[in-house]
Amino acid sequence: MSTFVLVPGFWLGAWAWDDVARPLREAGHTVHAVTLTGMAERSAEAGPEVGLETHIADLTGLLTREDLWDVVLVAHSGGSTPVTGVADRMPERIRRVVYVDSGPVPHGTALGDLWEADHRARVMATLVDGWRHPMPSWEELVASGAGVDGLDDAALTDIRGRATDQPVRSFTEPLRLTGAGAALPKALVSCSFPLEQVRAMIASGHPYFSQLGGPEWELRELATGHWPMFSRPAETAAVLAELAAVDRPDGSTGSVAR
């Protein structure tokens, strides 16, 4: 059995993983779904000072406090940046990093740096109180690539009703890496792109995908929109469990022993 730490993307809290965590727990796995500082039930902790380093500290604190080892660390969407950060700082505790419709951010780069200039300008122009990024309309999200395949109107209404404004520093603060987690086993669960397209972009040296071609990477496809924990939760749980059981590239299983 495996230990999962599930980190949600922008505007979401631990609640977003409920329907994924349930079958994993029923199968005997240990699951820690995370609400980052300032989000969901922790919204009272939000403020202009909350940023990427705050969210990395949330995760390092969880691993230390709960004495977690051999962790399958899962990031959805914007959760990729703090997950990459904690994997770099505590690689000895990590079995595998799984990016769900997301990917690692390079050293010295903020997540917002990877956005198209016009998209970034729109986001910065719509900040509330200078630091809160409200969830855009579904039409805007779809236009930016965050498809909603598999979600009906009721689901879209529920997600929006529970969404929390995202602190601006979570995507403007650069990620600082030492390289300690570079060789960790990793996986992509691609929902927005078929794997054939992902492999073509890896081969072409696309800046978002080129590093996914290394031997430490496993690639999986889960055909749905950008929100698989809502549109295909059982299948999301199944692919995470499958990836947790894959041997490391060196033939071993698990993280470094204590």
Side-chain angles (χ1 to χ4, degrees):
M1 294 297 102
S2 299
T3 297
F4 291 90
V5 172
L6 308 179
V7 183
F10 283 5
W11 311 294
L12 308 177
W15 61 269
W17 294 106
D18 285 352
D19 291 340
V20 174
R22 187 177 302 110
L24 287 173
R25 290 180 177 128
E26 289 172 351
H29 302 290
T30 299
V31 181
H32 297 265
V34 177
T35 293
L36 297 170
T37 298
M39 310 306 296
E41 73 275 12
R42 300 183 65 186
S43 61
E45 302 172 50
E49 73 286 354
V50 173
L52 174 58
E53 284 295 326
T54 315
H55 290 166
I56 292 173
D58 287 336
L59 299 177
T60 57
L62 171 68
L63 267 59
T64 302
R65 184 173 63 253
E66 299 295 330
D67 196 26
L68 302 182
W69 295 80
D70 205 26
V71 170
V72 180
L73 186 59
V74 181
H76 171 247
S77 192
S80 62
T81 323
V83 158
T84 302
V86 73
D88 181 76
R89 297 181 191 189
M90 304 182 104
E92 70 282 358
R93 292 176 179 252
I94 309 302
R95 180 193 300 184
R96 183 176 296 275
V97 185
V98 181
Y99 294 96
V100 178
D101 225 34
S102 61
V105 174
H107 169 69
T109 304
L111 184 59
D113 294 340
L114 303 179
W115 300 342
E116 296 290 341
D118 59 344
H119 175 67
R120 179 180 172 87
R122 283 195 302 272
V123 168
M124 300 306 288
T126 58
L127 294 178
V128 176
D129 299 330
W131 64 271
R132 292 190 288 124
H133 175 32
M135 188 178 196
S137 69
W138 288 114
E139 291 75 17
E140 290 174 287
L141 287 167
V142 169
S144 69
V148 295
D149 306 48
L151 298 175
D152 59 20
D153 288 344
L156 296 176
T157 299
D158 181 62
I159 295 166
R160 178 166 297 283
R162 301 180 72 176
T164 314
D165 292 354
Q166 187 73 27
V168 66
R169 289 189 62 198
S170 65
F171 55 87
T172 59
E173 189 173 349
L175 178 63
R176 302 299 178 188
L177 300 174
T178 67
L184 280 173
K186 302 176 184 70
L188 167 70
V189 179
S190 183
C191 305
S192 298
F193 299 99
L195 282 189
E196 181 180 0
Q197 186 176 356
V198 170
R199 291 190 176 103
M201 289 189 283
I202 292 171
S204 71
H206 189 290
Y208 291 1
F209 292 89
S210 58
Q211 62 182 301
L212 276 62
E216 72 274 21
W217 282 92
E218 294 284 335
L219 305 179
R220 299 292 186 274
E221 180 179 338
L222 182 56
T224 186
H226 183 63
W227 317 85
M229 68 281 290
F230 302 124
S231 59
R232 298 186 67 183
E235 293 87 346
T236 302
V239 74
L240 294 179
E242 185 263 322
L243 285 166
V246 174
D247 287 350
R248 296 165 62 100
D250 62 6
S252 67
T253 57
S255 54
V256 177
R258 284 176 280 181

PDB file of all heavy atoms in Angstrom, residues 56 59-60 63 73 80-94 96-97 99 177-182 184-186:
ATOM      1  N   ILE A  56       5.065  25.849  -0.249  1.00  0.00           N
ATOM      2  CA  ILE A  56       6.094  24.815  -0.093  1.00  0.00           C
ATOM      3  C   ILE A  56       6.235  24.457   1.381  1.00  0.00           C
ATOM      4  O   ILE A  56       6.342  23.276   1.746  1.00  0.00           O
ATOM      5  CB  ILE A  56       7.431  25.290  -0.681  1.00  0.00           C
ATOM      6  CG1 ILE A  56       7.334  25.421  -2.206  1.00  0.00           C
ATOM      7  CG2 ILE A  56       8.563  24.319  -0.304  1.00  0.00           C
ATOM      8  CD1 ILE A  56       8.558  26.051  -2.858  1.00  0.00           C
ATOM      9  N   LEU A  59       3.743  22.006   2.649  1.00  0.00           N
ATOM     10  CA  LEU A  59       3.994  20.614   2.288  1.00  0.00           C
ATOM     11  C   LEU A  59       5.164  20.016   3.060  1.00  0.00           C
ATOM     12  O   LEU A  59       5.100  18.874   3.518  1.00  0.00           O
ATOM     13  CB  LEU A  59       4.216  20.514   0.786  1.00  0.00           C
ATOM     14  CG  LEU A  59       3.032  20.960  -0.078  1.00  0.00           C
ATOM     15  CD1 LEU A  59       3.380  20.896  -1.564  1.00  0.00           C
ATOM     16  CD2 LEU A  59       1.791  20.137   0.214  1.00  0.00           C
ATOM     17  N   THR A  60       6.248  20.779   3.209  1.00  0.00           N
ATOM     18  CA  THR A  60       7.357  20.258   4.014  1.00  0.00           C
ATOM     19  C   THR A  60       6.909  20.055   5.456  1.00  0.00           C
ATOM     20  O   THR A  60       7.302  19.083   6.107  1.00  0.00           O
ATOM     21  CB  THR A  60       8.574  21.194   3.973  1.00  0.00           C
ATOM     22  OG1 THR A  60       8.202  22.499   4.428  1.00  0.00           O
ATOM     23  CG2 THR A  60       9.139  21.301   2.560  1.00  0.00           C
ATOM     24  N   LEU A  63       4.876  16.742   5.663  1.00  0.00           N
ATOM     25  CA  LEU A  63       5.722  15.549   5.626  1.00  0.00           C
ATOM     26  C   LEU A  63       6.463  15.348   6.945  1.00  0.00           C
ATOM     27  O   LEU A  63       6.607  14.216   7.421  1.00  0.00           O
ATOM     28  CB  LEU A  63       6.717  15.642   4.461  1.00  0.00           C
ATOM     29  CG  LEU A  63       6.276  15.012   3.142  1.00  0.00           C
ATOM     30  CD1 LEU A  63       4.987  15.628   2.627  1.00  0.00           C
ATOM     31  CD2 LEU A  63       7.374  15.128   2.083  1.00  0.00           C
ATOM     32  N   LEU A  73       3.728  11.889  -4.364  1.00  0.00           N
ATOM     33  CA  LEU A  73       3.379  13.300  -4.260  1.00  0.00           C
ATOM     34  C   LEU A  73       2.696  13.724  -5.559  1.00  0.00           C
ATOM     35  O   LEU A  73       3.302  13.661  -6.627  1.00  0.00           O
ATOM     36  CB  LEU A  73       4.654  14.103  -4.020  1.00  0.00           C
ATOM     37  CG  LEU A  73       4.568  15.595  -3.740  1.00  0.00           C
ATOM     38  CD1 LEU A  73       3.728  15.885  -2.506  1.00  0.00           C
ATOM     39  CD2 LEU A  73       5.976  16.171  -3.581  1.00  0.00           C
ATOM     40  N   SER A  80       1.593  22.235  -9.200  1.00  0.00           N
ATOM     41  CA  SER A  80       2.882  21.707  -9.646  1.00  0.00           C
ATOM     42  C   SER A  80       4.063  22.452  -9.051  1.00  0.00           C
ATOM     43  O   SER A  80       5.115  21.854  -8.781  1.00  0.00           O
ATOM     44  CB  SER A  80       2.966  21.758 -11.174  1.00  0.00           C
ATOM     45  OG  SER A  80       2.882  23.097 -11.639  1.00  0.00           O
ATOM     46  N   THR A  81       3.926  23.755  -8.845  1.00  0.00           N
ATOM     47  CA  THR A  81       5.080  24.535  -8.393  1.00  0.00           C
ATOM     48  C   THR A  81       5.460  24.216  -6.950  1.00  0.00           C
ATOM     49  O   THR A  81       6.634  23.905  -6.684  1.00  0.00           O
ATOM     50  CB  THR A  81       4.826  26.038  -8.577  1.00  0.00           C
ATOM     51  OG1 THR A  81       4.098  26.251  -9.777  1.00  0.00           O
ATOM     52  CG2 THR A  81       6.126  26.797  -8.656  1.00  0.00           C
ATOM     53  N   PRO A  82       4.543  24.270  -5.982  1.00  0.00           N
ATOM     54  CA  PRO A  82       4.952  23.872  -4.629  1.00  0.00           C
ATOM     55  C   PRO A  82       5.357  22.405  -4.539  1.00  0.00           C
ATOM     56  O   PRO A  82       6.252  22.064  -3.753  1.00  0.00           O
ATOM     57  CB  PRO A  82       3.711  24.171  -3.771  1.00  0.00           C
ATOM     58  CG  PRO A  82       2.566  24.264  -4.718  1.00  0.00           C
ATOM     59  CD  PRO A  82       3.153  24.781  -5.994  1.00  0.00           C
ATOM     60  N   VAL A  83       4.749  21.542  -5.332  1.00  0.00           N
ATOM     61  CA  VAL A  83       5.127  20.130  -5.307  1.00  0.00           C
ATOM     62  C   VAL A  83       6.561  19.953  -5.810  1.00  0.00           C
ATOM     63  O   VAL A  83       7.353  19.204  -5.223  1.00  0.00           O
ATOM     64  CB  VAL A  83       4.123  19.301  -6.131  1.00  0.00           C
ATOM     65  CG1 VAL A  83       4.738  17.981  -6.583  1.00  0.00           C
ATOM     66  CG2 VAL A  83       2.872  19.040  -5.309  1.00  0.00           C
ATOM     67  N   THR A  84       6.920  20.638  -6.886  1.00  0.00           N
ATOM     68  CA  THR A  84       8.300  20.575  -7.367  1.00  0.00           C
ATOM     69  C   THR A  84       9.250  21.097  -6.299  1.00  0.00           C
ATOM     70  O   THR A  84      10.341  20.548  -6.102  1.00  0.00           O
ATOM     71  CB  THR A  84       8.446  21.381  -8.664  1.00  0.00           C
ATOM     72  OG1 THR A  84       7.546  20.870  -9.654  1.00  0.00           O
ATOM     73  CG2 THR A  84       9.865  21.315  -9.204  1.00  0.00           C
ATOM     74  N   GLY A  85       8.841  22.146  -5.589  1.00  0.00           N
ATOM     75  CA  GLY A  85       9.668  22.707  -4.534  1.00  0.00           C
ATOM     76  C   GLY A  85       9.910  21.741  -3.389  1.00  0.00           C
ATOM     77  O   GLY A  85      11.056  21.571  -2.946  1.00  0.00           O
ATOM     78  N   VAL A  86       8.867  21.077  -2.906  1.00  0.00           N
ATOM     79  CA  VAL A  86       9.047  20.167  -1.771  1.00  0.00           C
ATOM     80  C   VAL A  86       9.804  18.914  -2.201  1.00  0.00           C
ATOM     81  O   VAL A  86      10.590  18.361  -1.416  1.00  0.00           O
ATOM     82  CB  VAL A  86       7.701  19.822  -1.106  1.00  0.00           C
ATOM     83  CG1 VAL A  86       6.872  18.888  -1.962  1.00  0.00           C
ATOM     84  CG2 VAL A  86       7.918  19.196   0.265  1.00  0.00           C
ATOM     85  N   ALA A  87       9.627  18.472  -3.450  1.00  0.00           N
ATOM     86  CA  ALA A  87      10.389  17.317  -3.928  1.00  0.00           C
ATOM     87  C   ALA A  87      11.876  17.626  -3.974  1.00  0.00           C
ATOM     88  O   ALA A  87      12.717  16.743  -3.758  1.00  0.00           O
ATOM     89  CB  ALA A  87       9.885  16.899  -5.310  1.00  0.00           C
ATOM     90  N   ASP A  88      12.230  18.875  -4.244  1.00  0.00           N
ATOM     91  CA  ASP A  88      13.624  19.303  -4.259  1.00  0.00           C
ATOM     92  C   ASP A  88      14.197  19.387  -2.850  1.00  0.00           C
ATOM     93  O   ASP A  88      15.382  19.121  -2.635  1.00  0.00           O
ATOM     94  CB  ASP A  88      13.716  20.671  -4.943  1.00  0.00           C
ATOM     95  CG  ASP A  88      15.145  21.201  -5.024  1.00  0.00           C
ATOM     96  OD1 ASP A  88      15.900  20.712  -5.880  1.00  0.00           O
ATOM     97  OD2 ASP A  88      15.487  22.091  -4.223  1.00  0.00           O
ATOM     98  N   ARG A  89      13.361  19.751  -1.885  1.00  0.00           N
ATOM     99  CA  ARG A  89      13.845  19.971  -0.520  1.00  0.00           C
ATOM    100  C   ARG A  89      13.822  18.711   0.335  1.00  0.00           C
ATOM    101  O   ARG A  89      14.581  18.609   1.308  1.00  0.00           O
ATOM    102  CB  ARG A  89      13.025  21.079   0.135  1.00  0.00           C
ATOM    103  CG  ARG A  89      13.219  22.387  -0.612  1.00  0.00           C
ATOM    104  CD  ARG A  89      12.481  23.553  -0.034  1.00  0.00           C
ATOM    105  NE  ARG A  89      12.518  24.678  -0.975  1.00  0.00           N
ATOM    106  CZ  ARG A  89      12.101  25.897  -0.694  1.00  0.00           C
ATOM    107  NH1 ARG A  89      11.605  26.164   0.507  1.00  0.00           N
ATOM    108  NH2 ARG A  89      12.180  26.853  -1.605  1.00  0.00           N
ATOM    109  N   MET A  90      12.958  17.755   0.005  1.00  0.00           N
ATOM    110  CA  MET A  90      12.858  16.525   0.796  1.00  0.00           C
ATOM    111  C   MET A  90      12.811  15.300  -0.109  1.00  0.00           C
ATOM    112  O   MET A  90      11.932  14.451   0.021  1.00  0.00           O
ATOM    113  CB  MET A  90      11.613  16.578   1.697  1.00  0.00           C
ATOM    114  CG  MET A  90      11.553  17.788   2.615  1.00  0.00           C
ATOM    115  SD  MET A  90      10.097  17.772   3.716  1.00  0.00           S
ATOM    116  CE  MET A  90      10.878  17.284   5.260  1.00  0.00           C
ATOM    117  N   PRO A  91      13.753  15.177  -1.037  1.00  0.00           N
ATOM    118  CA  PRO A  91      13.663  14.074  -2.008  1.00  0.00           C
ATOM    119  C   PRO A  91      13.748  12.697  -1.366  1.00  0.00           C
ATOM    120  O   PRO A  91      13.211  11.726  -1.906  1.00  0.00           O
ATOM    121  CB  PRO A  91      14.852  14.336  -2.936  1.00  0.00           C
ATOM    122  CG  PRO A  91      15.825  15.122  -2.110  1.00  0.00           C
ATOM    123  CD  PRO A  91      14.962  15.992  -1.248  1.00  0.00           C
ATOM    124  N   GLU A  92      14.415  12.616  -0.214  1.00  0.00           N
ATOM    125  CA  GLU A  92      14.576  11.320   0.435  1.00  0.00           C
ATOM    126  C   GLU A  92      13.253  10.742   0.931  1.00  0.00           C
ATOM    127  O   GLU A  92      13.147   9.546   1.208  1.00  0.00           O
ATOM    128  CB  GLU A  92      15.565  11.437   1.608  1.00  0.00           C
ATOM    129  CG  GLU A  92      15.055  12.217   2.811  1.00  0.00           C
ATOM    130  CD  GLU A  92      15.094  13.733   2.640  1.00  0.00           C
ATOM    131  OE1 GLU A  92      15.554  14.217   1.581  1.00  0.00           O
ATOM    132  OE2 GLU A  92      14.661  14.439   3.584  1.00  0.00           O
ATOM    133  N   ARG A  93      12.220  11.587   1.028  1.00  0.00           N
ATOM    134  CA  ARG A  93      10.911  11.131   1.503  1.00  0.00           C
ATOM    135  C   ARG A  93       9.942  10.789   0.361  1.00  0.00           C
ATOM    136  O   ARG A  93       8.808  10.381   0.629  1.00  0.00           O
ATOM    137  CB  ARG A  93      10.271  12.199   2.384  1.00  0.00           C
ATOM    138  CG  ARG A  93      10.991  12.426   3.719  1.00  0.00           C
ATOM    139  CD  ARG A  93      10.348  13.564   4.489  1.00  0.00           C
ATOM    140  NE  ARG A  93      11.014  13.782   5.768  1.00  0.00           N
ATOM    141  CZ  ARG A  93      10.499  13.465   6.958  1.00  0.00           C
ATOM    142  NH1 ARG A  93       9.301  12.895   7.027  1.00  0.00           N
ATOM    143  NH2 ARG A  93      11.156  13.711   8.066  1.00  0.00           N
ATOM    144  N   ILE A  94      10.363  10.980  -0.875  1.00  0.00           N
ATOM    145  CA  ILE A  94       9.448  10.884  -2.011  1.00  0.00           C
ATOM    146  C   ILE A  94       9.708   9.613  -2.818  1.00  0.00           C
ATOM    147  O   ILE A  94      10.847   9.342  -3.214  1.00  0.00           O
ATOM    148  CB  ILE A  94       9.596  12.113  -2.936  1.00  0.00           C
ATOM    149  CG1 ILE A  94       9.496  13.421  -2.143  1.00  0.00           C
ATOM    150  CG2 ILE A  94       8.552  12.074  -4.054  1.00  0.00           C
ATOM    151  CD1 ILE A  94       8.210  13.597  -1.375  1.00  0.00           C
ATOM    152  N   ARG A  96       7.635   8.949  -5.701  1.00  0.00           N
ATOM    153  CA  ARG A  96       7.400   9.405  -7.078  1.00  0.00           C
ATOM    154  C   ARG A  96       6.620  10.710  -7.022  1.00  0.00           C
ATOM    155  O   ARG A  96       5.781  10.908  -6.133  1.00  0.00           O
ATOM    156  CB  ARG A  96       6.613   8.364  -7.883  1.00  0.00           C
ATOM    157  CG  ARG A  96       6.386   8.749  -9.347  1.00  0.00           C
ATOM    158  CD  ARG A  96       5.679   7.651 -10.119  1.00  0.00           C
ATOM    159  NE  ARG A  96       6.471   6.426 -10.201  1.00  0.00           N
ATOM    160  CZ  ARG A  96       7.400   6.206 -11.115  1.00  0.00           C
ATOM    161  NH1 ARG A  96       7.681   7.128 -12.031  1.00  0.00           N
ATOM    162  NH2 ARG A  96       8.064   5.062 -11.132  1.00  0.00           N
ATOM    163  N   VAL A  97       6.897  11.602  -7.976  1.00  0.00           N
ATOM    164  CA  VAL A  97       6.120  12.829  -8.153  1.00  0.00           C
ATOM    165  C   VAL A  97       5.233  12.632  -9.375  1.00  0.00           C
ATOM    166  O   VAL A  97       5.717  12.244 -10.445  1.00  0.00           O
ATOM    167  CB  VAL A  97       7.031  14.054  -8.356  1.00  0.00           C
ATOM    168  CG1 VAL A  97       6.191  15.324  -8.420  1.00  0.00           C
ATOM    169  CG2 VAL A  97       8.066  14.150  -7.244  1.00  0.00           C
ATOM    170  N   TYR A  99       2.486  14.484 -11.861  1.00  0.00           N
ATOM    171  CA  TYR A  99       1.912  15.750 -12.323  1.00  0.00           C
ATOM    172  C   TYR A  99       0.654  15.443 -13.132  1.00  0.00           C
ATOM    173  O   TYR A  99       0.714  14.823 -14.196  1.00  0.00           O
ATOM    174  CB  TYR A  99       2.921  16.495 -13.198  1.00  0.00           C
ATOM    175  CG  TYR A  99       4.157  16.955 -12.453  1.00  0.00           C
ATOM    176  CD1 TYR A  99       5.322  16.187 -12.455  1.00  0.00           C
ATOM    177  CD2 TYR A  99       4.162  18.154 -11.756  1.00  0.00           C
ATOM    178  CE1 TYR A  99       6.454  16.594 -11.781  1.00  0.00           C
ATOM    179  CE2 TYR A  99       5.296  18.575 -11.066  1.00  0.00           C
ATOM    180  CZ  TYR A  99       6.435  17.798 -11.085  1.00  0.00           C
ATOM    181  OH  TYR A  99       7.562  18.219 -10.405  1.00  0.00           O
ATOM    182  N   LEU A 177      15.354  26.046  -6.815  1.00  0.00           N
ATOM    183  CA  LEU A 177      15.671  24.625  -6.743  1.00  0.00           C
ATOM    184  C   LEU A 177      17.177  24.421  -6.596  1.00  0.00           C
ATOM    185  O   LEU A 177      17.972  25.199  -7.109  1.00  0.00           O
ATOM    186  CB  LEU A 177      15.194  23.913  -8.013  1.00  0.00           C
ATOM    187  CG  LEU A 177      13.698  23.979  -8.330  1.00  0.00           C
ATOM    188  CD1 LEU A 177      13.412  23.349  -9.683  1.00  0.00           C
ATOM    189  CD2 LEU A 177      12.885  23.293  -7.239  1.00  0.00           C
ATOM    190  N   THR A 178      17.544  23.339  -5.908  1.00  0.00           N
ATOM    191  CA  THR A 178      18.954  22.956  -5.770  1.00  0.00           C
ATOM    192  C   THR A 178      19.341  21.866  -6.752  1.00  0.00           C
ATOM    193  O   THR A 178      20.524  21.614  -6.959  1.00  0.00           O
ATOM    194  CB  THR A 178      19.225  22.445  -4.350  1.00  0.00           C
ATOM    195  OG1 THR A 178      18.516  21.214  -4.154  1.00  0.00           O
ATOM    196  CG2 THR A 178      18.780  23.462  -3.303  1.00  0.00           C
ATOM    197  N   GLY A 179      18.338  21.182  -7.315  1.00  0.00           N
ATOM    198  CA  GLY A 179      18.590  20.028  -8.167  1.00  0.00           C
ATOM    199  C   GLY A 179      18.545  18.710  -7.424  1.00  0.00           C
ATOM    200  O   GLY A 179      18.695  17.642  -8.032  1.00  0.00           O
ATOM    201  N   ALA A 180      18.292  18.756  -6.105  1.00  0.00           N
ATOM    202  CA  ALA A 180      18.311  17.529  -5.305  1.00  0.00           C
ATOM    203  C   ALA A 180      17.221  16.541  -5.715  1.00  0.00           C
ATOM    204  O   ALA A 180      17.381  15.332  -5.537  1.00  0.00           O
ATOM    205  CB  ALA A 180      18.170  17.871  -3.822  1.00  0.00           C
ATOM    206  N   GLY A 181      16.121  17.046  -6.257  1.00  0.00           N
ATOM    207  CA  GLY A 181      15.032  16.152  -6.634  1.00  0.00           C
ATOM    208  C   GLY A 181      14.992  15.820  -8.108  1.00  0.00           C
ATOM    209  O   GLY A 181      14.047  15.174  -8.575  1.00  0.00           O
ATOM    210  N   ALA A 182      16.010  16.211  -8.841  1.00  0.00           N
ATOM    211  CA  ALA A 182      15.969  16.074 -10.301  1.00  0.00           C
ATOM    212  C   ALA A 182      15.848  14.629 -10.761  1.00  0.00           C
ATOM    213  O   ALA A 182      15.212  14.346 -11.780  1.00  0.00           O
ATOM    214  CB  ALA A 182      17.216  16.713 -10.910  1.00  0.00           C
ATOM    215  N   LEU A 184      14.445  12.100  -9.131  1.00  0.00           N
ATOM    216  CA  LEU A 184      13.312  11.361  -8.571  1.00  0.00           C
ATOM    217  C   LEU A 184      12.439  10.786  -9.687  1.00  0.00           C
ATOM    218  O   LEU A 184      12.257  11.418 -10.727  1.00  0.00           O
ATOM    219  CB  LEU A 184      12.452  12.278  -7.708  1.00  0.00           C
ATOM    220  CG  LEU A 184      12.921  12.577  -6.290  1.00  0.00           C
ATOM    221  CD1 LEU A 184      12.021  13.642  -5.664  1.00  0.00           C
ATOM    222  CD2 LEU A 184      12.906  11.307  -5.437  1.00  0.00           C
ATOM    223  N   PRO A 185      11.862   9.607  -9.486  1.00  0.00           N
ATOM    224  CA  PRO A 185      10.876   9.104 -10.445  1.00  0.00           C
ATOM    225  C   PRO A 185       9.701  10.074 -10.551  1.00  0.00           C
ATOM    226  O   PRO A 185       9.225  10.600  -9.543  1.00  0.00           O
ATOM    227  CB  PRO A 185      10.437   7.773  -9.835  1.00  0.00           C
ATOM    228  CG  PRO A 185      11.567   7.365  -8.947  1.00  0.00           C
ATOM    229  CD  PRO A 185      12.126   8.646  -8.397  1.00  0.00           C
ATOM    230  N   LYS A 186       9.258  10.288 -11.770  1.00  0.00           N
ATOM    231  CA  LYS A 186       8.177  11.243 -12.024  1.00  0.00           C
ATOM    232  C   LYS A 186       7.206  10.646 -13.031  1.00  0.00           C
ATOM    233  O   LYS A 186       7.535   9.697 -13.752  1.00  0.00           O
ATOM    234  CB  LYS A 186       8.742  12.556 -12.557  1.00  0.00           C
ATOM    235  CG  LYS A 186       9.764  13.233 -11.653  1.00  0.00           C
ATOM    236  CD  LYS A 186      10.333  14.481 -12.310  1.00  0.00           C
ATOM    237  CE  LYS A 186      11.427  15.101 -11.458  1.00  0.00           C
ATOM    238  NZ  LYS A 186      12.660  14.251 -11.435  1.00  0.00           N
TER     239      LYS A 186
END
